[in-house]
Amino acid sequence: MAGAAEAAPKPDAATTIAAAERLAASQDAYLRRKQLWMFDVLDDDGDGAVTPADTMQFAHRLARLTGHAEDSPRAQQMEATVNRIWHALVVKPAWVPDPKRLDREQFVTVMANSVLETPDKTLQYIGVVTNLAFAMADEDQDGRVTRDDGIRLVTDVLRVERRHAEHAWTVVDADENGYLGYAEVLMAVTDFIISTDPQAIGNLALGRI
């Protein structure tokens, strides 16, 4: 249409990368510290980068420790979910320099942009992964994970020292009934991913790690 404003040109890759990095640099320092901890958990081979293969190893480790074969329906569902999240957070955005390999700072940038730019989707990802992980851990399907199983998973899957895992349990199991329901686990994981409040349940538990 005559006189209509021309569409603004799309920013080039360098511009979008710089904008994503600025957003990450401006985020809360507490979030950054937790994101770096997550990087260390996911860097399965310790080579200083998180790759799709590392995320698959994380899914496989969870499957093995919850008694699920890697080709079981639960394990395959977790693999597919982790792959979809990697694609959404790393492959799809044009500003990620290398969609097959994230170093520490790139991982932080991806996480910061997810939390700050698309919080609704981030909450959705948290819910889906937590639901699957809880279902895998809840072998007898009674809607609860016992203390022994919970601590074992935290130490073996997240590679947390046992004393920290025991502390985390006492915080999250606030009613001291000896088990955790899905809602308690979801709240703790959500706090850890997105909350900047050190007194939030998930941060009191995992923030010491």
Side-chain angles (χ1 to χ4, degrees):
M1 184 173 64
E6 294 184 3
K10 292 183 179 180
D12 59 24
T15 300
T16 55
I17 290 171
E21 290 175 344
R22 284 196 300 272
L23 186 146
S26 69
Q27 74 170 330
D28 187 273
Y30 190 43
L31 284 178
R32 174 183 168 82
R33 182 168 73 82
K34 293 188 291 181
Q35 290 158 3
L36 289 172
W37 178 82
M38 285 187 277
F39 176 91
D40 290 336
V41 169
L42 290 173
D43 181 14
D44 191 75
D45 55 10
D47 67 348
V50 170
T51 66
D54 286 323
T55 65
M56 285 300 99
Q57 286 302 316
F58 177 84
H60 294 163
R61 193 160 66 244
L62 175 63
R64 288 193 301 271
L65 291 167
T66 53
H68 295 270
E70 291 183 9
D71 60 353
S72 67
R74 287 289 191 193
Q76 291 181 338
Q77 190 177 11
M78 178 61 82
E79 287 184 19
T81 298
V82 169
N83 274 326
R84 284 197 300 270
I85 293 174
W86 180 274
H87 187 273
L89 297 185
V90 183
V91 178
K92 187 176 179 181
W95 54 264
V96 179
D98 185 351
K100 295 182 179 180
R101 186 181 188 278
L102 299 175
D103 64 22
R104 291 175 70 84
E105 291 304 320
Q106 290 163 353
F107 181 85
V108 166
T109 299
V110 166
M111 290 299 299
N113 279 264
S114 176
V115 170
L116 299 175
E117 291 286 275
T118 56
D120 290 346
K121 287 186 178 180
T122 301
L123 289 173
Q124 181 182 2
Y125 300 147
I126 292 169
V128 171
V129 172
T130 304
N131 184 58
L132 283 172
F134 188 89
M136 293 170 75
D138 180 20
E139 296 183 48
D140 57 5
Q141 298 182 334
D142 65 350
R144 61 183 67 180
V145 173
T146 64
R147 181 181 186 278
D148 288 346
D149 286 344
I151 290 177
R152 178 173 59 86
L153 290 173
V154 171
T155 54
D156 293 347
V157 177
L158 301 181
R159 295 170 174 167
V160 174
E161 290 183 24
R162 184 173 179 86
R163 63 192 178 93
H164 289 317
E166 291 174 345
H167 167 74
W169 182 273
T170 62
V171 171
V172 180
D173 182 25
D175 56 10
E176 299 181 349
N177 59 9
Y179 65 85
L180 297 179
Y182 172 69
E184 292 170 302
V185 175
L186 178 62
M187 179 175 65
V189 174
T190 302
D191 283 346
F192 189 74
I193 300 295
I194 69 172
S195 175
T196 60
D197 177 10
Q199 299 305 308
I201 291 294
N203 290 334
L204 285 172
L206 300 180
R208 288 180 46 164
I209 295 170

